[in-house]
Amino acid sequence: MQPTKELKIEHEAVIKVLQILDTISQRITEGKDISINDLETLLEVMKVFVDRCHHGKEEKILFEAMESVGIPKEGGPVGVMLYEHDNGRRYIGGMREAFEKFKYGDKEALNEFAANASGYTTLMYAHIDKENNILYPMAETYLSETAKIKLVQDFSMIQAQETGDGMYEKYFNLVEQLKANYL
């Protein structure tokens, strides 16, 4: 059983989100119109699906399990991932703040949105690469089969808790809709 397989599938959706953000940032730079509804949807996907659900699974379940088998939280790969999650939250907060300004008429705020989006995508592309190629293989190596089974069960609990009943699939569908509009 590979619990990190589920996280990698989520990473594929996150990469689509990053590609959409890159396209939106480019459109902003070119002075093209941006759908306020699409920005709001994208912010919801990043806040709920990416941060609370995906990062929640990592922070509350995976990283704790890794620490329990001797992989240190501080000064190691888990610490780096936590630091990057926090940086990602700052970028999302910056995008949210810029979006609110834009929503209330400040057209210049879109440039702030684009700057935060660019920082976020740069961070997250590298972050996903480190998780997929360093952290997750470590987890698969060091965690017992029993621990891996528990991870999968606990992932389902976090998923239901953070996205709501039946909403997990909704976020994948929202990403696909945005992809159809922008990629």
Side-chain angles (χ1 to χ4, degrees), residues 50-172:
V50 177
D51 191 37
R52 290 191 350 217
C53 183
H54 178 75
H55 290 164
K57 288 176 182 177
E58 292 172 338
E59 292 174 2
K60 296 174 185 173
I61 309 298
L62 179 65
F63 296 171
E64 297 291 323
M66 292 177 75
E67 192 174 11
S68 76
V69 295
I71 299 169
K73 187 180 223 176
E74 300 300 322
V78 171
V80 172
M81 297 303 102
L82 289 167
Y83 175 77
E84 290 179 357
H85 286 181
D86 286 342
N87 281 343
R89 288 180 184 108
R90 282 190 274 286
Y91 283 122
I92 292 171
M95 284 184 271
R96 169 61 68 188
E97 187 178 310
F99 171 75
E100 292 299 324
K101 290 179 191 175
F102 171 68
K103 194 164 79 171
Y104 292 104
D106 182 355
K107 302 294 183 204
E108 293 302 311
L110 282 179
N111 293 322
E112 289 176 45
F113 184 95
N116 279 287
S118 178
Y120 182 73
T121 59
T122 299
L123 171 75
M124 291 303 293
Y125 283 126
H127 178 81
I128 288 169
D129 183 62
K130 285 181 255 183
E131 285 184 339
N132 284 350
N133 296 305
I134 298 168
L135 192 77
Y136 294 170
M138 284 177 72
E140 293 298 337
T141 298
Y142 290 101
L143 296 175
S144 69
E145 289 305 311
T146 303
K148 291 175 189 178
I149 291 167
K150 182 162 177 21
L151 281 179
V152 171
Q153 293 166 346
D154 290 347
F155 284 174
S156 293
M157 179 193 67
I158 291 285
Q159 189 172 296
Q161 205 173 46
E162 296 299 340
T163 63
D165 201 25
M167 297 300 286
Y168 182 75
E169 292 77 16
K170 171 194 160 194
Y171 288 103
F172 277 96

Side-chain angles (χ1 to χ4, degrees), residues 24 27 33-40 99 102 182:
I24 286 173
R27 286 186 181 189
D33 286 336
I34 302 297
S35 163
I36 197 165
N37 291 335
D38 287 348
L39 288 181
E40 194 158 41
F99 171 75
F102 171 68
Y182 290 96

Side-chain angles (χ1 to χ4, degrees), residues 13 17 41 44-50 52-53 162-164 166-177:
V17 167
T41 298
E44 178 188 349
V45 167
M46 287 185 290
K47 180 181 177 184
V48 178
F49 176 74
V50 177
R52 290 191 350 217
C53 183
E162 296 299 340
T163 63
M167 297 300 286
Y168 182 75
E169 292 77 16
K170 171 194 160 194
Y171 288 103
F172 277 96
N173 291 334
L174 287 173
V175 170
E176 288 303 316
Q177 288 170 8

